[in-house]
Each structure stands twice: as structure tokens, then as C-alpha cells.
Amino acid sequence: PVPAPPAAAAGPPPAGDDEFELVGSTGANALADFPHAREYCVTAPFAADARKCCANCYCFVCDAPATTCKTWAAHCVATAASPTWRAAREQARRGP
């Protein structure tokens, strides 16, 4: 016989745990309801006008809500596929 897996611990996760669990979506596409990179927005399609964003769009470079990005005019076209923008993102993570 194979032993049963250990029972999950009851109660909330320990403090400092940075993982989270999505439990649902209200729309047809989860990208409309949850935070996402600007290039993946289904509410304001990237190809139509990269400068527009929805309330859940995040700046790829700053890794912050697009509405708070101080250089959105430049960052709005950033994509994960671009080596230049990936380098800019890494620089932003390291700080000045």
C-alpha cells in the first residue's frame, strides 16, 4: 500500500508568503479582470493604440500599474519579446 499524502495545514499561510491563489473571474477572459502586462490587454488592444490602457494594465518596464508609470509615453510600447525592453526592465529592478 502507498502511504497517504500528509494533510494540508489548516489556517492562513505564514506571514511573508508572497504566493497567491486566484479563485475566480467574472468575465469571459481573465486578462480583463486581473493585472496583466500592457501587451496582453484584451480591454484596450495593444495593436490598436499602445498608449491606451485599462485599470489592470501594468508597465512592463516599471512592473507597476501603467497609470502610475512616469514614462508611459515611452514604456507603453515595451514588450517581453524585445531584448531592449527586457534590459530596461532589469535596469529598473536594480534601481538607479
Side-chain angles (χ1 to χ4, degrees), residues 20-91:
F20 67 95
E21 180 179 348
L22 301 177
V23 294
S25 172
T26 59
N29 190 321
L31 286 177
D33 295 331
F34 300 112
H36 52 266
R38 169 65 190 102
E39 67 182 306
Y40 302 122
C41 187
V42 296
T43 304
F46 188 73
D49 184 351
R51 294 170 294 173
K52 292 184 179 180
C53 60
C54 77
N56 289 317
C57 282
Y58 263 63
C59 172
F60 176 76
V61 178
C62 299
D63 199 22
T67 55
T68 65
C69 174
K70 293 178 173 60
T71 52
W72 184 245
H75 291 177
C76 68
V77 296
T79 65
S82 167
T84 302
W85 287 117
R86 286 195 311 267
R89 178 182 171 101
E90 284 303 314
Q91 178 63 36

